[in-house]
Amino acid sequence: MSKFRTVAVFAYPAEALAVKGRLESEQVQVFLKDEFTVAADPLVSHAIGGVKMQVYKEDFIKAMGIIEQSNPDMVKYRVEYIKCPNCGKREAREISNIETARTFAEKIKAVGLSILPFSTSYNYQCKNCQTKFDVDE
């Protein structure tokens, strides 16, 4: 049984290294699978499934949250979404992100956290059942 989970897949190592740096700055250890194979021959990237970004299972939810929070464009590289602890569906979104904020208060909170990131708590809400939960749970 593997102790790693794939959080994202990239076509080229340069894309993966940018996200890897962001995750490692948040103390998430990252491993890139097939990085050197694709670097040696970029044409095989799609044939082998690209560069796979893997983290320890314990850091999976934290890594997914950081990817979603750091840059909305990075979300397209994710392999799967965060699973709701209540209903089990993978439709949870980070509620302090300006892109996913629904109410005016959530948008103000998202802007404030992006300017002054004093909080390291990532609060999520499931789009399916509206359950709010924390990444650390």
Side-chain angles (χ1 to χ4, degrees):
M1 183 166 192
S2 177
K3 60 182 176 179
F4 300 106
R5 290 201 56 192
T6 301
V7 292
V9 177
F10 301 88
Y12 302 106
E15 298 170 329
L17 289 173
V19 178
K20 180 181 179 184
R22 173 72 172 118
L23 290 173
E24 287 179 342
S25 72
E26 297 284 339
Q27 285 73 45
V28 175
Q29 197 166 6
V30 178
F31 305 92
L32 297 178
K33 186 175 180 184
D34 298 326
E35 172 189 16
F36 298 115
T37 304
V38 174
D41 188 1
L43 297 177
V44 302
S45 179
H46 292 297
I48 64 171
V51 178
K52 293 142 205 84
M53 180 174 287
Q54 297 184 328
V55 297
Y56 287 114
K57 285 184 178 182
E58 304 83 45
D59 294 332
F60 177 74
I61 293 178
K62 181 178 180 182
M64 295 293 282
I66 293 168
I67 290 173
E68 186 173 291
Q69 178 197 24
S70 65
N71 188 348
D73 293 335
M74 289 293 145
V75 174
K76 65 184 174 185
Y77 297 112
R78 291 192 325 190
V79 174
E80 55 187 278
Y81 295 98
I82 295 174
K83 186 176 181 181
C84 174
N86 185 38
C87 68
K89 293 197 176 186
R90 295 195 180 275
E91 296 186 16
R93 297 289 180 266
E94 206 263 328
I95 58 174
S96 61
N97 183 346
I98 192 71
E99 299 293 324
T100 59
R102 291 189 203 122
T103 66
F104 182 72
E106 287 179 2
K107 289 183 190 245
I108 295 297
K109 179 182 175 189
V111 169
L113 288 175
S114 67
I115 295 170
L116 303 168
F118 294 120
S119 173
T120 58
S121 174
Y122 304 102
N123 295 310
Y124 286 82
Q125 183 173 13
C126 179
K127 283 185 161 184
N128 183 50
C129 67
Q130 306 305 319
T131 301
K132 291 184 179 181
F133 60 98
D134 192 18
V135 168
D136 297 328
E137 292 179 348

